[in-house]
Amino acid sequence: MAFEPKTQAFTSSIATVTLGTGDKACKLGGVNVLPFYSFDAPIENAPKIGVEITDAGIAAYPQKGLQEFYAGCTTPAEMAKRVETMHGASFICLHLEGADPNGENKSVEECVEIAKSVAEATDLPLVIMGCKNIEKDAELFTKISEALQGKNILVLSAREENYKTVGASAALAYGQKVGAESAVDINLAKQLNVLMTQLGVAPSSIVMNAGSAAAGYGYEYVASTLDRIRAAALAQSDDQLQMPIMTPVSTETWNVKEAIMSEADMPEWGSAEERGIEMEITTASACLAGGSDAVIMRHPAAIKAIADMIEALV
């Protein structure tokens, strides 16, 4: 008797959220199977990779591989144009870390001009990551959403403290997509989604940022949260958890000791750049296996490895 495998395709599915416009627009979500379970049902939208660039330009990335890839790029806009040639890149994430009031404290106007130059330089969808200052991010996201109206960008992210301002401006006033950021907890993630939808933001305009950590740095909490969110969305048909998930990986992995400890201080650890690449690959692959529909990464070598993994599994 021939073996007939049992399939587990769910009646519920993750909502589809589209970023960008035109031929380069990308779709997140839209799946009704567990991550990479293409043997249960076709995966309509494969996981996507976003490439992080920063308002500080290439000076923020001292690694040799990054310096070589972005050689000749003097502005974030030129870096964005170069990203179009990167294998596996589906969208660009502009990280406005220089806006931090405790850092460079770049003005909102300056950041808006940077965002506009990046949007004009590339056809890839654009994600805007703030500086993690609640008040500054709310103002940044509002002004950038207005300046880039019609570009269908995603602002990452609205939090419980500023979701009303960000949601009302980015999504309701200017038709952009909004990331809902919570702190690695399924109940907090659901609560913020409920608040956003009660505000009037459509589920098709919400992408969850359920939190992240580098592998080995409390990542088990991330893993269990991603698993529980995806199980609740598909198996329990919880429509308040059926938004796609985007996980920023680069900002976590390139700041841990394995990635920043110099070879002079820890020669037995080997190449510092290779350590960072391996940390980024490990964390990104774990996030995708747990249920992330998109990851944000930095190093071309790590991005290629994850892109190859996705192509092999979907």
Side-chain angles (χ1 to χ4, degrees), residues 53-78:
I53 60 174
T54 173
D55 59 327
I58 189 56
Y61 300 152
Q63 293 80 16
K64 181 180 178 181
L66 284 162
Q67 289 286 329
E68 290 177 349
F69 181 80
Y70 291 110
C73 297
T74 59
T75 65
E78 291 175 350

Side-chain angles (χ1 to χ4, degrees), residues 144-204:
I144 291 175
S145 294
E146 179 182 13
L148 300 184
Q149 192 170 5
K151 293 289 188 179
N152 197 26
I153 67 169
L154 168 71
V155 294
L156 195 72
S157 301
R159 292 185 276 177
E160 186 175 3
E161 298 87 348
N162 65 6
Y163 78 91
K164 290 183 179 179
T165 301
V166 176
S169 61
L172 301 183
Y174 303 116
Q176 314 287 17
K177 302 299 191 293
V178 181
E181 180 178 351
S182 52
V184 197
D185 184 292
I186 185 174
N187 296 312
L188 294 177
K190 180 174 180 177
Q191 177 184 345
L192 186 53
N193 289 342
V194 170
L195 292 172
M196 293 277 282
T197 52
Q198 288 178 344
L199 183 67
V201 181
S204 59

Side-chain angles (χ1 to χ4, degrees), residues 189-265:
K190 180 174 180 177
Q191 177 184 345
L192 186 53
N193 289 342
V194 170
L195 292 172
M196 293 277 282
T197 52
Q198 288 178 344
L199 183 67
V201 181
S204 59
S205 293
I206 298 174
V207 173
M208 285 190 285
N209 174 7
S212 183
Y217 286 82
Y219 186 81
E220 63 271 20
Y221 293 100
V222 179
S224 62
T225 299
L226 292 175
D227 286 344
R228 293 177 65 198
I229 288 175
R230 189 49 49 101
L234 295 179
Q236 300 171 24
S237 301
D238 190 332
D239 60 0
Q240 292 298 334
L241 289 171
Q242 289 175 346
M243 295 75 165
I245 299 172
M246 179 179 292
T247 306
V249 170
S250 54
T251 51
E252 297 286 342
T253 57
W254 287 98
N255 287 317
V256 298
K257 64 182 180 182
E258 286 84 355
I260 63 176
M261 189 71 73
S262 71
E263 295 169 35
D265 291 333

Side-chain angles (χ1 to χ4, degrees), residues 6-37:
K6 294 183 178 180
T7 60
Q8 189 182 21
F10 300 94
T11 55
S12 299
S13 63
I14 305 303
T16 300
V17 175
T18 302
L19 304 182
T21 59
D23 295 339
K24 296 291 181 67
C26 69
K27 294 183 178 181
L28 309 180
V31 297
N32 67 332
V33 293
L34 295 175
F36 298 115
Y37 275 43

